[in-house]
């Protein structure tokens, strides 16, 4: 496994799908208290906002089909949800899975993004790091075993840094 296994896609979905994704998540409630690692005894695991999307066929079927088309790979979906972070919320370093076929597709449904707002997705493998800057309609797909986290946004960012995560397993043929 290498940091080069992280694949970036700009303009991942069509403009129509990108707009539909934003409309869909604007109509659903957010829940406070999700954590990448679960609760810690010391209480040191920072919580953030989450929106479950497993009950929405637009995300679990329609967009999953678009993901399969865009990546030329068939997947089994474990779950899909949106994460939200505001200023000062840094994610905890974590891994999404250890199975060889485990993949995470992380999508930025942002309408606009200024790199000065920070909020990168960071990856660490051994002593190497890779940072992905959020961009509207960008997706990244990576092996779930690569440790990663969301960096906090700057004070000048006055909104919610949103990502949508599809937890996937490559289908065995």
């Amino acid at each position: 496994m290498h940091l080069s296994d992280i694949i970036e896609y700009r303009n991942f979905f069509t403009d129509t799908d990108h707009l539909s994704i934003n409309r869909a998540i604007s109509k659903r409630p957010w829940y406070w208290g999700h954590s990448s690692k679960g609760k810690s005894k010391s209480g040191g695991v920072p919580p953030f906002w989450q929106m479950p999307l497993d009950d929405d066929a637009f995300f679990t079927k329609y967009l999953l089909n678009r993901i399969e088309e865009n990546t030329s790979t068939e997947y089994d979906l474990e779950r899909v949800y949106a994460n939200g972070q505001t200023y000062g919320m840094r994610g905890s370093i974590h891994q999404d899975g250890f199975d060889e076929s485990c993949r995470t597709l992380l999508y930025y449904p942002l309408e606009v993004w200024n790199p000065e707002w920070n909020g990168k997705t960071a990856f660490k493998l051994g002593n190497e790091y890779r940072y992905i800057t959020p961009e509207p309609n960008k997706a990244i797909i990576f092996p779930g075993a690569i440790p990663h986290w969301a960096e906090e946004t700057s004070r000048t960012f006055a909104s919610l840094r949103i990502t949508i995560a599809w937890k996937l397993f490559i289908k065995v043929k």
Side-chain angles (χ1 to χ4, degrees):
M1 187 170 32
H2 305 280
L3 291 178
S4 61
D5 294 330
I6 303 164
I7 302 168
E8 288 184 65
Y9 298 89
R10 286 188 169 82
N11 300 310
F12 188 71
F13 293 115
T14 66
D15 289 343
T16 301
D17 286 343
H18 179 71
L19 181 61
S20 296
I21 290 166
N22 278 289
R23 284 184 182 148
I25 61 176
S26 72
K27 296 176 183 175
R28 298 178 64 103
W30 287 93
Y31 299 95
W32 171 253
H34 182 73
S35 169
S36 299
K37 289 185 166 181
K39 304 270 186 226
S40 71
K41 291 180 183 174
S42 66
V45 177
F48 51 90
W49 295 94
Q50 188 177 73
M51 176 188 298
L53 299 169
D54 288 324
D55 64 346
D56 190 328
F58 176 65
F59 291 92
T60 62
K61 292 188 182 350
Y62 176 78
L63 291 175
L64 178 61
N65 287 333
R66 301 291 76 76
I67 290 168
E68 290 175 331
E69 288 174 3
N70 292 345
T71 62
S72 300
T73 307
E74 291 184 9
Y75 298 103
D76 288 318
L77 176 65
E78 179 184 328
R79 61 193 167 116
V80 58
Y81 55 89
N83 287 322
Q85 294 168 279
T86 56
Y87 169 71
M89 293 181 183
R90 178 188 184 277
S92 300
I93 190 167
H94 67 282
Q95 294 163 280
D96 293 336
F98 301 98
D99 186 285
E100 185 72 25
S101 69
C102 178
R103 296 291 182 274
T104 298
L105 185 126
L106 192 65
Y107 177 71
Y108 301 96
L110 313 162
E111 294 182 34
V112 296
W113 192 262
N114 181 336
E116 294 176 9
W117 293 335
N118 300 332
K120 295 178 200 81
T121 302
F123 296 87
K124 181 180 190 298
L125 204 53
N127 292 323
E128 295 182 76
Y129 292 84
R130 182 166 174 195
Y131 300 91
I132 307 290
T133 300
E135 293 175 22
N137 200 15
K138 180 192 262 184
I140 53 177
I141 192 163
F142 56 93
I146 296 179
H148 59 283
W149 67 96
E151 291 191 326
E152 63 273 8
T153 59
S154 69
R155 186 70 184 131
T156 58
F157 179 65
S159 190
L160 194 61
R161 176 200 180 269
I162 299 172
T163 58
I164 300 175
W166 280 265
K167 304 300 173 101
L168 308 164
F169 288 92
I170 297 171
K171 281 189 180 179
V172 179
K173 295 183 181 188

